[in-house]
Amino acid sequence: MATRDQDAPVSGTGAGTGVLVREGTYGSRVLEVEPGGAEFIPLNERHGRPLQLFWTWSSPNMEFATIFVGVLGVAGFGLGFWEAALALVLGSAIGGVTQGLLSLRGPKYGVPQMVLSRFGFGYWGNILPAGLNAVTAGIGWFAVNSVSGALALNVLTHLPQVLCLVIIVAVQLVVAFFGYNLVHVFERYAFPILTIIFLIAAGVILSKAHPGASHKTIPGAFLIELGASFGYAVGWNPYASDYTRYFKPETSRKAIAWWSGAGLFISCAVLEVVGAAVGTAVNAGSALGGPGGMTSLLAKPLADLTLLAIALGAVSANVLNIYSGALSFTAIGLKLPLVARRAIVALGFGIIGFFLAWSALGNAGADYQNFLLIIAYWIAPWLAVYFCDLLLRRNPDESLLFSTRRTNWAGPVAMLIGMGLSIWLFSNQTKYVGLVPTHIGSAGDLTFEAGFVITAVVYLGWHAIAKTGRESTLAGVTG
């Protein structure tokens, strides 16, 4: 069993005083259920190399949900191809850079990203971002991608949509249930299949695109598309160190940052630009209607392979979503004594996500824009707290992550203020339009940019006034 020892280090694990250590043995075995949840990974369990991060962050983005971000820019918002491409590349680049930076702490601290978040939020204040990520990843993203994969499988096989959804969800849950090692292996073997099929399909689609086609852009479309692209890319940020925490502490930091950031950026940018090309090559209704609009541009054998790749890509994405969503839930701090706590939580989220996806089968894509923007609305303020705390607290002790007595209320307060003000002022989606875009349509959606800045100002201002925030050990830390 894992124990919470606040007085002495756990012998032989590499953990310091007060660190909760994962129980059981796991090593590099693939077909064995990973024990534990959000605890420290002992040094004798560490394995892996940075290169694997490239396919871990590439394979999940080779799916229709990624392509649809680009489709939205042209067919939904009326952008021209080149304007949409610029917004897509910029949003993906920001997400890739932050992904690389966030991945760096995994080997040193040996814990998931949402445990590292406790530096900026404190133990109980971290319930805010960890809870949000558990819901958006383990349920929200899981449902979105399950629908995408099921629709692709339905078009390919003509099986009932519900049966296709059952098949997709079952495969996802099996991989996520076994855990970290099988997830990495699955992404590795999916990578060459997805890459070859999507590169060939992308070449054909781009050859049939009409980059100079006339268009009618809605007000603020560029910034809305930038927000959607950013939301898609940074949706992976709260998972970053989940997939580096098993690396040895001495693993090259440059290699970790490069392979994780490059894998995310290249896959997102390329597939989203292909989506923008789809929007110029078929009518808006067909483009927004699902995978069929895209595959109508391809010869039948290639179209069938692409549909198969879309289904496989959806599974690749969701094994990460359900795995990391379960880790985030365990990072909330609830006591779950089962050795298989993460695996059991993954199954629970998968069941909830299945029913949510089932209810959305007949309305796929209708709320996708809103979902992407909402992701950006909360992750940008969370990133502000995380990076501001990293600026103030350069080398904090790992014991800060596991003490239930340690608070840092500046984090959740700043995040809530940043989210509240930015959404009220700048949100621009179908469910709610903020004060600024209501009166100035060309403002688009500046929520994530404003949320980041407001949160950073509040967080840094709080600690500047209180003269706190630089403490690196438990001694003298109060908030």
Side-chain angles (χ1 to χ4, degrees):
M1 282 290 291
T3 56
R4 189 184 303 279
D5 181 358
Q6 300 292 344
D7 301 313
V10 183
S11 177
T13 64
T17 301
V19 173
L20 188 64
V21 180
R22 198 212 65 200
E23 72 271 42
T25 57
Y26 183 51
S28 58
R29 291 186 291 275
V30 174
L31 294 179
E32 181 170 324
V33 177
E34 178 188 6
E39 305 85 18
F40 174 84
I41 305 301
L43 295 184
N44 60 1
E45 292 276 298
R46 303 297 185 91
H47 61 279
R49 56 194 179 121
L51 177 60
Q52 70 193 54
L53 296 170
F54 186 74
W55 51 71
T56 297
W57 296 117
S58 294
S59 297
N61 295 310
M62 296 186 198
E63 54 154 346
F64 189 70
T66 315
I67 294 167
F68 200 71
V69 178
V71 170
L72 274 174
V74 174
F77 308 147
L79 286 168
F81 174 80
W82 295 111
E83 291 175 288
L86 178 59
L88 296 167
V89 170
L90 285 175
S92 300
I94 298 171
V97 170
T98 51
Q99 186 77 0
L101 294 174
L102 290 166
S103 299
L104 293 176
R105 275 180 158 179
K108 177 180 179 180
Y109 289 100
V111 294
Q113 192 64 55
M114 277 299 150
V115 173
L116 288 171
S117 179
R118 292 174 184 167
F119 281 133
F121 289 84
Y123 191 90
W124 298 113
N126 193 55
I127 290 176
L128 173 63
L132 283 170
N133 194 53
V135 172
T136 56
I139 299 175
W141 272 121
F142 183 83
V144 167
N145 291 313
S146 294
V147 168
S148 172
L151 291 178
L153 195 60
N154 166 254
V155 175
L156 176 64
T157 65
H158 304 293
L159 292 171
Q161 288 184 350
V162 174
L163 178 57
C164 292
L165 181 63
V166 170
I167 294 170
I168 292 292
V169 169
V171 176
Q172 294 166 165
L173 288 182
V174 168
V175 177
F177 182 82
F178 277 94
Y180 181 89
N181 291 333
L182 184 56
V183 168
H184 274 300
V185 169
F186 184 89
E187 304 297 353
R188 177 183 179 181
Y189 286 102
F191 176 73
I193 300 171
L194 294 169
T195 300
I196 292 170
I197 295 173
F198 274 117
L199 282 179
I200 296 172
V204 174
I205 291 170
L206 290 171
S207 72
K208 295 183 178 182
H210 303 287
S214 60
H215 55 277
K216 187 176 180 181
T217 307
I218 68 171
F222 181 86
L223 289 172
I224 298 175
E225 179 71 341
L226 176 63
S229 176
F230 172 80
Y232 186 90
V234 299
W236 300 114
N237 281 185
Y239 312 179
S241 73
D242 298 3
Y243 303 94
T244 63
R245 76 193 201 282
Y246 272 87
F247 291 174
K248 295 180 179 180
E250 63 270 20
T251 305
S252 169
R253 290 169 56 84
K254 288 183 180 179
I256 289 173
W258 167 254
W259 290 119
S260 55
L264 179 62
F265 167 69
I266 294 172
S267 57
C268 285
V270 171
L271 269 293
E272 287 170 4
V273 169
V274 169
V278 171
T280 70
V282 301
N283 64 67
S286 296
L288 295 169
M294 171 182 139
T295 55
S296 68
L297 297 168
L298 308 172
K300 191 173 190 312
L302 180 57
D304 288 347
L305 284 173
T306 303
L307 288 168
L308 183 62
I310 288 172
L312 178 60
V315 174
S316 295
N318 268 351
V319 297
L320 298 190
N321 286 322
I322 197 70
Y323 177 81
S324 285
L327 283 180
S328 294
F329 185 81
T330 60
I332 289 175
L334 299 177
K335 290 185 178 180
L336 299 171
L338 295 172
V339 172
R341 64 180 67 85
R342 178 209 50 79
I344 298 301
V345 171
L347 283 181
F349 278 177
I351 292 170
I352 296 171
F354 168 78
F355 286 106
L356 181 61
W358 189 0
S359 69
L361 278 175
N363 196 32
D367 295 320
Y368 189 40
Q369 167 201 340
N370 293 342
F371 181 68
L372 289 172
L373 291 173
I374 289 170
I375 293 291
Y377 293 172
W378 81 260
I379 290 183
W382 169 74
L383 285 172
V385 171
Y386 187 91
F387 285 125
C388 285
D389 191 79
L390 183 62
L391 179 67
L392 294 176
R393 207 186 313 268
R394 296 297 179 89
N395 190 32
D397 186 76
E398 60 267 25
S399 61
L400 294 179
L401 299 172
F402 294 97
S403 172
T404 57
R405 300 188 302 272
R406 187 239 165 188
T407 62
N408 187 4
W409 294 113
V413 170
M415 182 173 169
L416 287 171
I417 291 174
M419 288 173 60
L421 285 178
S422 61
I423 292 170
W424 172 58
L425 290 172
F426 297 105
S427 175
N428 192 353
Q429 52 162 299
T430 59
K431 300 296 184 184
Y432 173 73
V433 179
L435 187 64
V436 173
T438 296
H439 296 90
I440 308 171
S442 59
D445 192 311
L446 291 166
T447 310
F448 86 80
E449 297 94 333
F452 185 93
V453 172
I454 294 169
T455 302
V457 169
V458 173
Y459 187 82
L460 293 175
W462 175 305
H463 283 301
I465 293 171
K467 296 182 179 180
T468 54
R470 297 185 182 275
E471 304 87 351
S472 60
T473 65
L474 283 175
V477 175
T478 57

